[in-house]
């Protein structure tokens, strides 16, 4: 009888210890998540309070209104949005066919191209601008004057993010099977890309586009070096004289970016759900 009690005791204690460990793990997880949320949202709340308030007045839009009076913020914001769209479209047009070719015809080069895509992280922006400026000054002097000369620079800057997002999406597909099935049905290469591959890469394309747009919307160094007027340059100029207005603009920019991300993500998930339902 005593032997049975000794053997039953560990069996009873084991679930209790497992429950205690699970409870401790849940508490630790909750604490970590709460700390992360606090560290993420506290600066945003502080920025909003600083940007939309004045001592003794409380909430007010006067700093923002005074800083934007007589400025061309609309034109600068439009310039940045155009650059974001053109840079994103150029990166997708360049990288999607390149990655498809590498995965289908030259998989041995993928390791080299992956290493090559990290080069923009190694080369500083000022070195990139200085080298390109010397080259184009001799070949095409008027190119660097144009606002759209920023597009190739932004494509280079966003290359590591866009490359990895698209590469991960392609690796998740059975690309060779899809391509072979499309060819067996008589589809041409461009038809296979448009009607077979791209619909299955919707998530990767959306993620790459969001990353590219987010980086372009916040890029300041290259635009300032080339003396172009973009929205980040405008915010820095405003912040030199009106720090509260710059804080308010930064907060509004973050909210607008979140809203854009939510709309695009919702539209992408809605299309996927509808497509899955039709099946």
């Amino acid at each position: 009888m005593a032997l049975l009690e000794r053997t039953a005791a560990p069996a009873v204690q084991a679930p209790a210890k497992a429950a205690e460990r699970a409870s401790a793990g849940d508490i630790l997880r909750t604490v970590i998540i709460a700390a992360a949320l606090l560290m993420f949202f506290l600066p945003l709340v502080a920025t909003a309070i600083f940007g939309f308030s004045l001592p003794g007045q409380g909430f007010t839009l006067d700093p923002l209104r005074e800083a934007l009076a007589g400025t061309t913020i609309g034109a600068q914001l439009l310039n940045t949005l155009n650059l974001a769209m053109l840079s994103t479209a150029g990166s997708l047009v360049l990288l999607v066919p390149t990655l498809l070719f590498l995965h289908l015809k030259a998989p041995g080069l993928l390791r080299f191209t992956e290493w090559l895509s990290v080069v923009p992280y190694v080369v500083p922006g000022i070195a990139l601008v200085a080298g390109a400026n010397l080259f184009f000054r001799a070949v095409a002097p008027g190119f660097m004057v144009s606002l759209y000369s920023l597009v190739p620079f932004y494509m280079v800057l966003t290359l590591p993010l866009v490359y990895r997002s698209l590469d991960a999406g392609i690796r998740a597909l059975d690309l060779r099977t899809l391509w072979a099935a499309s060819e067996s049905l008589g589809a041409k290469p461009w038809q296979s890309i448009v009607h077979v591959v791209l619909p299955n890469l919707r998530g990767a394309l959306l993620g790459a586009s969001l990353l590219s747009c987010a980086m372009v919307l916040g890029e300041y160094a290259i635009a300032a070096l080339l003396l172009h007027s973009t929205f980040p340059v405008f915010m820095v100029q405003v912040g030199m004289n009106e720090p509260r207005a710059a804080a308010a603009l930064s907060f509004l920019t973050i909210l607008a970016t979140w809203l854009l991300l939510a709309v695009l993500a919702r539209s992408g998930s809605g299309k996927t759900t509808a497509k899955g339902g039709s099946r």
Side-chain angles (χ1 to χ4, degrees):
M1 190 67 179
L3 180 60
L4 291 175
E5 290 179 355
R6 285 197 299 269
T7 56
V12 174
Q13 293 176 358
K17 291 182 178 179
E20 291 178 0
R21 286 195 297 268
S23 177
D26 292 339
I27 294 174
L28 180 61
R29 190 181 303 110
T30 302
V31 171
I32 292 175
I33 293 175
L37 291 176
L38 185 64
M39 294 177 62
F40 183 77
F41 284 105
L42 188 60
L44 293 179
V45 174
T47 301
I49 294 174
F50 178 75
F52 293 101
S53 64
L54 286 174
Q57 296 186 20
F59 177 80
T60 178
L61 295 176
D62 290 341
L64 188 61
R65 189 181 300 112
E66 293 174 0
L68 297 183
T71 63
T72 58
I73 182 174
Q76 290 161 323
L77 182 59
L78 184 61
N79 289 341
T80 303
L81 293 176
N82 287 335
L83 291 172
M85 290 187 294
L86 291 174
S87 302
T88 301
S91 297
L92 295 179
V93 170
L94 176 66
L95 289 179
V96 170
T98 302
L99 282 171
L100 291 178
F101 173 80
L102 291 174
H103 277 274
L104 291 172
K105 304 296 183 181
L109 294 176
L110 284 171
R111 188 178 298 274
F112 172 73
T113 56
E114 184 177 2
W115 171 83
L116 195 63
S117 68
V118 189
V119 172
Y121 284 155
V122 180
V123 180
I126 187 170
L128 180 64
V129 172
N133 191 23
L134 291 176
F135 173 78
F136 284 107
R137 186 184 300 174
V139 177
F143 176 72
M144 303 298 285
V145 180
S146 172
L147 174 70
Y148 298 104
S149 63
L150 292 173
V151 172
F153 290 104
Y154 288 166
M155 289 174 61
V156 172
L157 286 181
T158 58
L159 176 63
L161 301 176
V162 176
Y163 179 95
R164 274 158 180 74
S165 180
L166 295 176
D167 185 59
I170 293 175
R171 290 180 186 275
L173 300 177
D174 191 355
L175 181 61
R176 292 183 178 276
T177 302
L178 289 174
W179 194 270
S182 179
E183 285 186 336
S184 66
L185 294 174
K188 297 178 180 179
W190 68 268
Q191 291 175 325
S192 299
I193 293 175
V194 173
H195 298 294
V196 178
V197 177
L198 292 184
N200 288 282
L201 284 179
R202 183 180 291 114
L205 292 172
L206 179 62
S209 301
L210 294 179
L211 292 172
S212 177
C213 289
M215 179 167 282
V216 173
L217 290 176
E219 203 287 321
Y220 164 77
I222 293 180
L225 288 172
L226 293 178
L227 303 178
H228 289 303
S229 180
T230 61
F231 185 67
V233 174
F234 173 80
M235 284 203 302
V236 172
Q237 292 173 347
V238 169
M240 293 178 181
N241 301 317
E242 299 288 343
R244 293 184 181 273
L249 281 175
S250 299
F251 181 76
L252 293 177
T253 303
I254 293 173
L255 289 184
T257 304
W258 283 357
L259 181 61
L260 176 63
L261 296 179
V263 170
L264 291 177
R266 183 62 181 270
S267 62
S269 62
K271 290 178 181 179
T272 303
T273 304
K275 189 174 180 179
S278 64
R279 292 174 184 170

